[in-house]
Structures are given as structure tokens and as C-alpha cells.
């Protein structure tokens, strides 16, 4: 996407405490060619596996229909017909909220039986009028349709009723948290932290909902997706010496003139930049960890780490979750990656002879392989925009 | 009195060969040497890249003297040796 605006989407979920899987489903997708994002959140009837099937089917069907620009009334009809019928309740049922946003263009929200979405602009709720439509064969199911042009710093919050009804059964919240309560919380958050990321906000909302629940255990599936329109946060990650030494200068300048954050992964790479840009680089002992080499500080560069071991650990954390209790170089790099929207990798392809030594106690993957794994994951799981350049 | 400079390589090859065990000097140096040394962590010093064909890391330099296949014991012994020499000279 080459627009000046960027859309960050993030979801957070908690499942009903008696179940082991989510009854709600969330699904988001970016269509870079159309500068468009689609995000779906669905709540399946009941909880557990059965609900999961209903909601997963709904999100997938909705995604397909919206993506192919199919008529919504027809799509909704087809979806409801396609869902399996619950043996006990004799109905098939799942709710949905769909956000279909085109950068610098229209944003549409379709909502059926989920709590009303919250649209935030300038720390206030934006009132967008909506109209109602019904599917031909399901007259009692009403779909609300909103349409507006999103601006920089707008946010859209969609959620399952597990959020608004959090606290039911707790004498302190006889009617549950309610949409008003949720809004007050969001308002507070965005006033205190005007640039709070979509992921942090979604997580905060679900955690807050949990605190309302009796014994802080989720009595229902609680899901929330936040869509945040903002300036992209860019990161340049440089790793590995260029194949051709003559390129050293060029690469160093790339770093010097970059209009975003910068990181260097690799000792030799850091040495090159240190030499080319005449900077001083020192090891940062606060990042000591017996398993990960320490980071260094270099003026003007946001993070300097060792190469292959750190990257390998970054990959592990992207897959399994970040080591919250640590502050080593790999954790810092993972955070930096996750906090960025557009990441430009510049990968040097010179092979490090020392790493090819069969006497080394562990196998050191070639940089290119591990970087490839990292950026694929960043793309597919975290919806980051990635560019890779080999030098 | 000038401190003895202990340069520990924090590069990848040295790291996997066992440099972290020596980095522990920073926090848990034996009492007799703790005040006499200054630990400097450095990035790859390029010793791993040259020469003999097999890796002799981790590499540590104590006052410029290279220690190959360094261990905590080897490094501490070297430091004690230098301290003894210095003390003798100062007598
Ligand atoms: S990694 Fe230690 S000298 Fe190269």
C-alpha cells in the first residue's frame, strides 16, 4: 500500500472458562492491490466446539463474499442457510460484525446481532447513521449498515456480547458492563494514551471485561477487534554484510537516510556501519542474558543486536509468544518488529565463514533462511507490510 | 592502579562456544580480582575468521594477550598471573 495512511488491525480473545476453544471467531485480511482491509468477528451460538464451527464458518464465508464484492443481502441469506442447525435449539445461528475499509476511501461496517460497533474520532464517539437491511428469507434478522470516510487517527472497535455482558452474575454489575461502560473505558484509554496501538487497546478491553466477571473468569467468549487508521510506523532492518564490499557505503547510507526506525542485526554488519558512518558502537550490558548475545547501542540507530542466534530466537517468539519477563536483545527486537507496520529488510548475502565451521556445537542456519521465515510470519500472522532486498 | 582489561568477545561464534560462562565474570568475579579488572564486551574480534581452519573460540583478551578456547578458569588464572606480576613490580 502506498497511501500515507495505514490500517492496523488487531484482535484479542478469551474463551469461556469451562471450554477449551473459542466460540467466537475473528478473521482479518489485507488486500494490498485494492488498498483494502476486511475484518470479521463472529459469535457462534452457545460455546465450545459447536459454537466454534458456526462462527468459523461464518467468518470464512463472510470474508469470501465481501472480498468478491457480492451483494450483502444475498450473501447473508446464503450464510444463514449454510450453517448447520443446532440439534438442541433447532436453529442455526451466528452473529457477525464486518469492517470493510478502503484506504483513503469509504469504510463500511455490517453488523448482525453483535453489540453496536464503536467508532472513535478525537477521543469522542463518532455518530455514524446507519440503515437496516434484511435478508429475504430471514425477515427477523436485521443487518445494520454503516458507511463513512475514515480519517487519520480514527478507530473502530467491534466486539462480541461477551464484552458488553461481562459481569453478568456479579452483583456489582447486574446488567453487565454494557456498551456505555465499554465506551467509558475506551475513552479513558485513548485520552491517556492517544497513540495506543490496536493490539494494546484490544487486549486492554478484553482484560478489563475479565475483571468484571465473577471471580474474573470468562463466563462467555469475549472477543474484540480494533481497527486503527494511522500513519505507518516504519522500520528498516539491516542484517548481514553485502556480498560485494563496494556496496557497504550504499547500505550504510540507506540506513542513514531512512525515514523511520532502524535496527542492525549482526556483529560484522554493525562493524561495517560503525566504520562507514563513523559512529561509535558499545555493548549494552543491561541486555545480558546467558542465552542471547547482548545488544549494543549506536547513536541514531534504534537497536543493534547479534545476528543469527538473536534472529532464531525472534522467530521462536513470533511463533510462540514473547518472553514477557525478559529484556534481552531478542525480546527488544521482537517488540520493535511487532510495533512496526511497514518493515523493510535489507539482507546481506555474504556467507560468514566462521559459521560454517563443523566444530561449532550447534548448527547456525543461513541468515537468509531464518529471515525468510521471520518475514513470512510477520506477513501472514501479524499482517505487516514487508519488503525484502538482498544485497 | 590501572585495571586489567578483560575483553570478552560477544560475537556469534564465541557465544555458541561458551562466551556466556565467561561473561559471568561481570557479576561474580572471585573477590581477589573483582576490583582489579575491567570487563569490556566486544563484538567479533575476527579471531574466529582466520587461521587454523577450526574454531578456537571463545576468545578473550586479557590486557591484549589472546586466550584461545577460553574458560572461566583460564581467564581467572591469567588475571591472577598479571596481578601477581604487577604487585611484584610495585613492591
Ligand atoms: S565471534 Fe568471537 S572472534 Fe569472531
Amino acid at each position: 500500500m502506498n497511501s500515507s495512511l495505514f490500517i492496523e488491525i488487531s484482535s484479542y480473545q478469551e474463551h469461556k472458562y469451562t471450554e477449551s476453544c473459542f466460540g467466537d471467531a475473528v478473521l482479518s485480511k489485507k488486500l494490498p492491490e485494492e488498498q483494502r482491509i476486511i475484518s470479521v468477528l463472529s459469535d457462534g451460538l452457545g460455546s465450545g466446539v459447536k459454537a466454534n464451527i458456526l462462527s468459523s464458518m461464518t467468518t470464512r464465508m463472510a470474508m469470501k463474499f465481501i472480498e468478491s464484492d457480492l451483494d450483502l443481502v444475498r450473501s447473508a441469506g446464503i450464510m444463514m442457510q449454510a450453517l448447520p442447525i443446532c440439534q438442541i435449539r433447532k436453529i442455526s445461528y451466528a452473529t457477525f460484525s464486518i469492517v470493510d475499509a478502503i484506504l483513503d476511501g469509504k469504510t463500511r461496517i455490517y453488523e448482525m446481532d453483535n453489540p453496536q460497533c464503536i467508532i472513535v474520532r478525537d477521543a469522542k464517539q463518532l455518530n455514524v447513521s446507519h440503515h437496516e437491511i434484511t435478508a429475504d428469507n430471514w425477515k427477523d434478522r436485521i443487518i445494520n449498515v454503516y458507511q463513512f470516510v475514515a480519517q487519520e487517527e480514527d478507530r473502530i472497535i467491534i466486539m462480541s456480547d461477551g464484552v458488553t455482558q461481562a459481569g453478568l452474575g456479579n452483583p456489582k454489575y447486574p446488567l453487565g458492563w454494557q456498551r456505555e461502560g465499554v465506551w467509558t473505558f475506551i475513552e479513558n484509554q485513548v485520552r491517556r494514551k492517544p497513540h495506543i496501538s490496536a493490539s494494546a487497546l484490544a487486549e486492554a478491553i478484553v482484560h478489563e471485561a475479565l475483571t468484571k466477571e465473577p471471580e474474573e473468569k470468562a463466563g462467555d467468549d469475549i472477543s474484540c477487534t480494533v481497527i486503527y487508521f494511522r500513519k505507518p510506523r516504519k522500520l528498516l532492518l539491516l542484517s548481514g554484510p553485502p556480498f560485494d564490499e563496494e556496496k557497504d557505503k550504499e547500505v550504510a547510507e540507506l540506513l542513514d537516510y531512512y525515514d523511520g526506525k532502524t535496527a542492525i542485526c549482526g556483529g560484522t554488519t554493525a562493524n561495517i556501519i560503525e566504520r562507514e558512518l563513523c559512529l561509535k558502537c558499545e555493548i549494552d550490558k543491561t541486555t545480558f542474558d546467558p542465552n542471547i548475545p547482548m545488544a549494543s547501542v549506536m547513536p541514531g540507530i534504534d537497536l543493534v543486536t547479534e545476528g543469527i542466534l538473536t534472529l532464531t530466537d525472534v522467530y521462536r517468539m513470533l511463533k510462540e509468544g514473547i518472553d514477557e519477563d525478559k529484556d534481552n536483545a531478542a525480546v527488544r527486537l521482537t517488540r520493535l518488529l511487532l510495533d512496526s507496520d511497514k518493515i523493510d529488510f535489507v539482507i546481506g548475502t555474504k556467507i560468514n565463514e566462521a559459521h560454517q565451521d563443523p566444530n561449532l556445537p550447534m548448527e547456525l542456519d543461513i541468515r537468509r533462511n531464518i529471515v525468510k521465515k521471520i518475514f513470512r510470519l510477520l506477513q501472514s500472522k501479524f499482517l505487516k507490510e514487508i519488503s525484502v532486498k538482498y544485497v | 592502579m590501572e585495571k586489567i582489561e578483560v575483553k570478552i568477545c560477544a560475537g556469534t561464534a564465541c557465544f555458541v562456544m561458551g562466551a556466556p560462562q565467561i561473561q559471568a565474570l561481570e557479576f561474580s568475579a572471585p573477590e581477589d580480582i573483582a576490583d582489579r579488572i575491567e570487563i569490556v564486551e566486544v563484538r567479533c574480534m575476527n579471531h574466529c575468521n582466520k587461521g587454523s581452519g577450526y574454531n578456537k573460540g571463545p576468545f578473550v583478551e586479557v590486557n591484549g594477550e589472546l586466550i584461545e578456547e577460553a574458560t572461566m578458569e583460564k581467564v581467572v588464572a591469567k588475571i591472577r598471573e598479571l596481578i601477581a606480576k604487577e604487585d611484584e613490580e610495585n613492591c
Side-chain angles (χ1 to χ4, degrees):
Chain A
M1 299 189 186
N2 43 24
S3 162
S4 56
L5 216 55
F6 174 87
I7 306 177
E8 185 198 356
I9 322 168
S10 193
S11 304
Y12 199 87
Q13 293 186 275
E14 192 69 48
H15 57 70
K16 184 172 176 175
Y17 81 99
T18 50
E19 302 286 352
S20 55
C21 79
F22 296 100
D24 297 346
V26 293
L27 184 66
S28 300
K29 191 168 184 177
K30 283 192 178 175
L31 308 170
E33 319 74 47
E34 298 172 53
Q35 306 229 15
R36 177 179 180 192
I37 66 109
I38 303 168
S39 185
V40 189
L41 184 151
S42 171
D43 179 350
L45 183 71
S47 60
V49 177
K50 221 186 291 174
N52 181 290
I53 295 172
L54 290 170
S55 60
S56 307
M57 279 180 73
T58 306
T59 49
R60 279 181 198 276
M61 284 191 281
M63 182 61 82
K64 263 272 157 318
F65 290 138
I66 298 286
E67 204 178 325
S68 351
D69 297 311
L70 234 70
D71 173 59
L72 185 83
V73 176
R74 253 195 76 211
S75 310
I78 299 173
M79 286 196 285
M80 289 187 255
Q81 221 125 38
L83 293 178
I85 292 173
C86 171
Q87 286 302 326
I88 302 163
R89 301 175 181 89
K90 301 292 178 213
I91 45 171
S92 73
Y93 189 69
T95 71
F96 60 76
S97 301
I98 305 169
V99 179
D100 179 6
I102 298 178
L103 266 189
D104 301 323
K106 285 192 188 90
T107 293
R108 291 199 182 88
I109 305 171
Y110 311 101
E111 181 177 85
M112 190 184 80
D113 289 357
N114 266 347
Q116 195 193 343
C117 62
I118 294 178
I119 305 172
V120 190
R121 178 173 293 171
D122 298 327
K124 290 197 242 359
Q125 271 197 73
L126 183 69
N127 280 322
V128 177
S129 61
H130 63 267
H131 65 273
E132 297 176 352
I133 52 175
T134 45
D136 291 343
N137 40 352
W138 306 87
K139 289 277 182 247
D140 53 332
R141 307 259 165 94
I142 295 164
I143 302 172
N144 291 330
V145 183
Y146 305 74
Q147 184 167 312
F148 74 110
V149 176
Q151 297 178 359
E152 190 174 330
E153 291 300 316
D154 282 358
R155 289 181 177 89
I156 301 171
I157 294 111
I158 53 178
M159 60 211 135
S160 65
D161 61 3
V163 177
T164 45
Q165 294 178 0
L168 281 183
N170 179 345
K172 264 168 70 192
Y173 302 95
L175 298 172
W177 194 13
Q178 302 226 43
R179 191 170 172 282
E180 263 323 291
V182 180
W183 163 246
T184 311
F185 177 76
I186 294 172
E187 186 183 19
N188 225 311
Q189 290 283 313
V190 295
R191 281 200 194 280
R192 274 192 12 234
K193 297 173 248 174
H195 298 294
I196 182 169
S197 69
S199 58
L201 185 57
E203 189 177 339
I205 292 170
V206 172
H207 279 160
E208 186 66 18
L210 262 187
T211 63
K212 315 280 182 244
E213 293 280 41
E215 295 177 55
E216 304 206 356
K217 283 186 191 151
D220 188 5
D221 296 296
I222 304 177
S223 306
C224 174
T225 297
V226 177
I227 292 136
Y228 181 18
F229 298 78
R230 59 170 164 77
K231 281 238 161 55
R233 298 182 189 134
K234 291 176 67 182
L235 171 70
L236 175 74
L237 188 141
L238 178 63
S239 183
F243 187 78
D244 190 348
E245 262 174 49
E246 282 166 23
K247 285 258 168 78
D248 286 3
K249 194 171 178 59
E250 212 177 287
V251 168
E253 279 172 358
L254 218 61
L255 203 71
D256 209 15
Y257 293 122
Y258 192 72
D259 61 337
K261 294 199 168 182
T262 48
I264 302 172
C265 286
T268 317
T269 321
N271 289 343
I272 293 173
I273 302 304
E274 195 174 22
R275 186 189 71 218
E276 293 293 333
L277 300 182
C278 301
L279 296 171
K280 184 115 191 66
C281 183
E282 271 164 23
I283 297 241
D284 176 0
K285 291 183 183 172
T286 62
T287 57
F288 179 78
D289 182 309
N291 298 314
I292 301 296
M294 288 178 273
S296 308
V297 272
M298 204 191 276
I301 311 287
D302 294 276
L303 185 65
V304 181
T305 71
E306 177 271 351
I308 206 75
L309 300 172
T310 310
L311 288 170
T312 308
D313 204 46
V314 166
Y315 177 62
R316 177 189 62 80
M317 284 191 279
L318 288 176
K319 258 193 339 200
E320 298 168 7
I322 202 159
D323 298 343
E324 294 290 353
D325 50 330
K326 292 190 185 148
D327 190 27
N328 63 32
V331 169
R332 289 188 190 184
L333 183 55
T334 312
R335 289 228 164 88
L336 197 55
L337 289 169
L338 291 181
D339 282 345
S340 308
D341 311 311
K342 295 189 177 187
I343 306 166
D344 298 312
F345 286 91
V346 176
I347 307 304
T349 49
K350 192 169 181 173
I351 303 248
N352 191 336
E353 296 295 339
H355 293 184
Q356 305 310 309
D357 188 334
N359 284 301
L360 286 183
M362 60 167 82
E363 216 178 300
L364 296 178
D365 206 348
I366 313 183
R367 185 189 320 269
R368 233 179 307 175
N369 294 342
I370 189 75
V371 170
K372 227 181 249 166
K373 288 189 200 162
I374 289 180
F375 75 66
R376 286 212 187 112
L377 207 56
L378 286 171
Q379 246 169 347
S380 61
K381 184 170 167 193
F382 299 98
L383 305 177
K384 306 285 183 198
E385 284 172 37
I386 307 286
S387 84
V388 189
K389 186 170 158 189
Y390 294 102
V391 289
Chain B
M1 195 175 355
E2 259 193 31
K3 293 208 174 185
I4 295 174
E5 185 190 61
V6 183
K7 252 192 204 169
I8 305 173
C9 176
T12 309
C14 289
F15 199 87
V16 296
M17 295 299 282
Q21 277 80 37
I22 309 167
Q23 283 170 349
L25 260 187
E26 183 104 37
F27 314 103
S28 54
E31 246 175 65
D32 57 320
I33 63 170
D35 293 339
R36 312 274 306 250
I37 54 173
E38 190 189 343
I39 309 232
V40 190
E41 313 274 354
V42 293
R43 277 172 291 115
C44 177
M45 302 187 277
N46 258 324
H47 298 305
C48 60
N49 258 328
K50 41 178 156 253
S52 58
Y54 79 94
N55 197 307
K56 288 193 174 164
F59 294 99
V60 175
E61 286 180 14
V62 181
N63 266 2
E65 266 185 66
L66 179 66
I67 305 179
E68 294 181 345
E69 291 174 38
T71 57
M72 183 71 129
E73 293 78 51
K74 271 194 187 176
V75 174
V76 170
K78 181 53 110 208
I79 295 169
R80 290 211 173 106
E81 186 189 314
L82 290 183
I83 291 179
K85 224 195 255 165
E86 253 181 39
D87 289 350
E88 220 168 76
E89 277 164 18
N90 289 340
C91 273

